Each structure stands twice: as C-alpha cells, then as structure tokens.
Amino acid sequence: MGAQKSIHAGKGPFFGITLLAKIDVNVDFTHKLCAALLLPPLSYSGNPFSQVIGSLCIKHPNLFGRSEKLDVSWDKGLCESNILIAYRRPRPEWLSQQSFVIQHSMSPEIGVHGQPTDNFSRSGSGGVNLSHFSAGIDLSEPASSHWSSTTSIKFEHVRPMNDDGRSISRDHDGFTVTCSGSPHDSMVVLKQGSSYSKATDLGFSQLNLQIEQGIPVLSKWLIFNRFKFVASKGVKLGRAFLLSSLTGGSIVGDMAPYQAFAIGGLSSVRGYGEGAVGSGRSCLIMNSEITYPLNNLLEGAIFMDCGTTLGSSQYVPGFVESCILVEHLLDNYV
C-alpha cells in the first residue's frame, strides 16, 4: 500500500520568521506476500513487522522561511534498513552546494562473512550484520562541461552485530570482523568523487573516480587510503546495444573486512552471490553485454563477466579463501 500527502505547515512567527510551507509526505509499505517467488525463505521471528518492506519520505522545502530544505527518509527491506536526514541551505549556483547529512543503516555483511549457497549463485547471511552511523557535510561543486565533483567529510561509526542484535568482534568461525579488534570501528573519512559523462545518439561514455582518506584524529581510529574507479562505454549496433565497463580499486593502510572489495553479485560478476568469487584489498572487474529488443515488452541479453582480487585475498582480515568453500561444495556432491 502507498500514500502521498501534502501538509501545510501553517502560518505564524517562529523566532521572528514567518513560516509558510507545504510538507510532502510519501508512505509506501507492503507486507511480504509475493516475495517467496523472488527470495529464498527467511526465518520468521514471529514479529509481523519483520515481514514488511517499504519506505517513508518527508520533505520540507522551506524549513525556516529561507528556502532551506529538509529531507527525511526511511527505507526498510527484509534484511536491511536505512535512515537518512539531510539539511540543505540555499547558495548561489556558482558556489558549492552544502548538505548536512546524518545517516544510519543496518545490513547483513555478506561480502566477506557471507555463506555462498545454491552453487554459489546466492550468498546467505553468515550471522554478521553492520550497524553503520555517519554524520558530516557533503559539498557538490558546480558542474563544468561534462565533469562534476563532490567532496564530503564525515565521522563514521561501524558496529558489527549478530542476528540477535548483540555487538560482536568475531564471527561464528572466530575470525575478526573489525579492524580495531573491539566491537566497533570509528573513523573520520574525507571523500573526493569526480564524474565524467557524455552522451550522443550513438552511445555514451562515463567515468567515475572516488578517493577516500581516513584521517587520524585519534590513535585508535582507522587510517587508510581507498581508491576506486568505474569506466563505462555504450555503443549502438543497429537495434542492439553493446555495453562494456571496467571497475578497479585498491586500499592501503588500516582495513576492516567490511571495507574489502567483494567480487560477485548483480553489480559485479553475475551468476554468483555477493563475495562468492572473492574479496580482496584490490580488485579488477570487467563486464560486457549485448542487449537486443525482441518485442515491445521483452529484451534479450548475452553477457560475460570476470573479476580478480589480484592476489590480495589473503590480506583481508577474517577472509576464508573461496577455494576452501569450493572443495567443501564438491565434497557434498561426491
């Protein structure tokens, strides 16, 4: 079920400011009735709310009467949830746009500590969930030609938890799930991202670059440098469309298992669960596909994906090499 409503905030003085705004509220929650057709069965905790998926979004376009924008959103899935609060102040177009952001998310950590199942086509929860809280500032630079860039500095606090909601520092197999060895990791991260995009009638080109730097504010906080790039090229071939992309990245310095590059999944090497191919400090992934419209409703596709950790899997804390899982899977068939 879903609903959308606009609420008038009303008139009246507020610290010398007259308020007159319309708040947009969007609610969309659905009980899991048909999810069994798409997802594997999950354990039912007895709480009917755990089987509800949906979103709640509240937007205020004129918070203090000076065109300040406040966005509050909550997204809930069967296994994850995300709360985002963003406050934006108006600035001239030629200056960087500032946003104050607070975010909290909860999701299973299946990239490294997940359990590949169904011939590695899917990754199940390994009993490790990440509670991730962040607060900071986002700066969006004015777009120049085909380039755009964003800069952010945020405090981040990551706390691994088990399925019962208790903080943990090790998984079921005794491998560490944090970098510090304690039940949580803290860090201040300076992130710089740049994007290039150009489209024509014959296709498009895209390039995304991202650099993250952990700032040593305190001695126990994580210090690292993480780099990632994604280059994509699309070309029309008659009615068909060829799309190729190359993804790579590396991290040096302190690293928690959840920061590793996980290979496998819909946005990586398709046909494998997330992290089922491998996880490492570095990665290189190549994707290529050709799509062809069969009719107005159907489209056929042929794709080829491949990925490698460049021999860096052994340097990920808590990582169990995929060859052990392959041997265990083969033993079950013998």
Side-chain angles (χ1 to χ4, degrees):
M1 63 180 179
Q4 186 170 359
K5 180 69 174 178
S6 296
I7 304 173
H8 289 277
K11 302 179 181 179
F14 181 75
F15 292 100
I17 300 174
T18 300
L19 295 180
L20 178 58
K22 184 171 66 174
I23 304 175
D24 295 329
V25 181
N26 184 48
V27 182
D28 186 5
F29 283 99
T30 305
H31 194 273
K32 186 177 71 69
L33 297 177
C34 302
L37 300 176
L38 303 175
L39 299 174
L42 300 172
S43 59
Y44 184 68
S45 62
N47 181 10
F49 188 71
S50 64
Q51 302 296 298
V52 173
I53 59 176
S55 62
L56 170 65
C57 182
I58 301 175
K59 295 178 179 289
H60 198 304
N62 193 22
L63 186 61
F64 298 120
R66 298 178 181 176
S67 299
E68 299 95 340
K69 296 181 178 4
L70 177 66
D71 295 342
V72 180
S73 64
W74 175 42
D75 297 298
K76 182 186 181 302
L78 292 176
C79 303
E80 64 280 330
S81 64
N82 182 71
I83 299 175
L84 177 65
I85 302 174
Y87 170 72
R88 301 173 177 87
R89 295 187 303 179
R91 290 170 63 88
E93 294 182 357
W94 60 86
L95 297 178
S96 61
Q97 302 302 307
Q98 298 179 353
S99 300
F100 299 89
V101 180
I102 299 176
Q103 185 174 10
H104 179 268
S105 63
M106 178 71 72
S107 62
E109 204 289 276
I110 59 179
V112 176
H113 296 94
Q115 300 173 345
T117 58
D118 297 343
N119 296 332
F120 286 71
S121 63
R122 176 173 62 86
S123 292
S125 174
V128 179
N129 304 279
L130 294 181
S131 173
H132 190 167
F133 171 82
S134 65
I137 301 176
D138 288 338
L139 300 176
S140 299
E141 299 295 334
S144 174
S145 184
H146 301 288
W147 285 93
S148 62
S149 63
T150 59
T151 304
S152 67
I153 181 168
K154 295 180 180 179
F155 167 76
E156 299 187 10
H157 182 83
V158 182
R159 181 181 297 274
M161 307 176 72
N162 59 17
D163 292 334
D164 297 328
R166 297 180 180 178
S167 299
I168 57 175
S169 58
R170 296 183 179 273
D171 61 11
H172 292 316
D173 298 318
F175 294 100
T176 181
V177 292
T178 61
C179 177
S180 61
S182 66
H184 62 83
D185 285 330
S186 298
M187 65 201 88
V188 172
V189 181
L190 176 64
K191 182 184 297 184
Q192 174 69 46
S194 299
S195 300
Y196 171 84
S197 180
K198 182 178 180 180
T200 65
D201 295 336
L202 300 179
F204 71 90
S205 301
Q206 288 183 346
L207 176 63
N208 295 314
L209 305 173
Q210 187 180 91
I211 299 178
E212 299 179 41
Q213 177 66 56
I215 302 176
V217 177
L218 296 179
S219 59
K220 295 183 179 181
W221 290 9
L222 274 61
I223 308 174
F224 62 91
N225 183 273
R226 191 175 192 265
F227 170 76
K228 182 180 180 180
F229 73 89
V230 180
S232 304
K233 178 70 174 181
V235 179
K236 285 187 178 181
L237 301 174
R239 296 186 61 192
F241 191 81
L242 173 63
L243 176 61
S244 300
S245 66
L246 178 65
T247 302
S250 184
I251 180 172
V252 295
D254 298 335
M255 187 189 73
Y258 50 81
Q259 293 179 307
F261 295 96
I263 301 179
L266 294 177
S267 59
S268 179
V269 178
R270 288 163 286 188
Y272 291 86
E274 184 176 351
V277 177
S279 299
R281 277 184 173 264
S282 303
C283 77
L284 190 63
I285 304 170
M286 291 176 285
N287 309 96
S288 185
E289 69 175 33
I290 296 179
T291 58
Y292 188 87
L294 302 178
N295 53 43
N296 294 333
L297 299 177
L298 297 178
E299 185 178 69
I302 300 176
F303 66 87
M304 180 181 68
D305 301 332
C306 58
T308 175
T309 61
L310 302 174
S312 62
S313 296
Q314 57 183 324
Y315 302 110
V316 177
F319 176 73
V320 181
E321 301 225 16
S322 59
C323 60
I324 299 177
L325 298 175
V326 173
E327 292 178 359
H328 177 71
L329 183 63
L330 291 177
D331 290 340
N332 292 336
Y333 282 104
V334 175

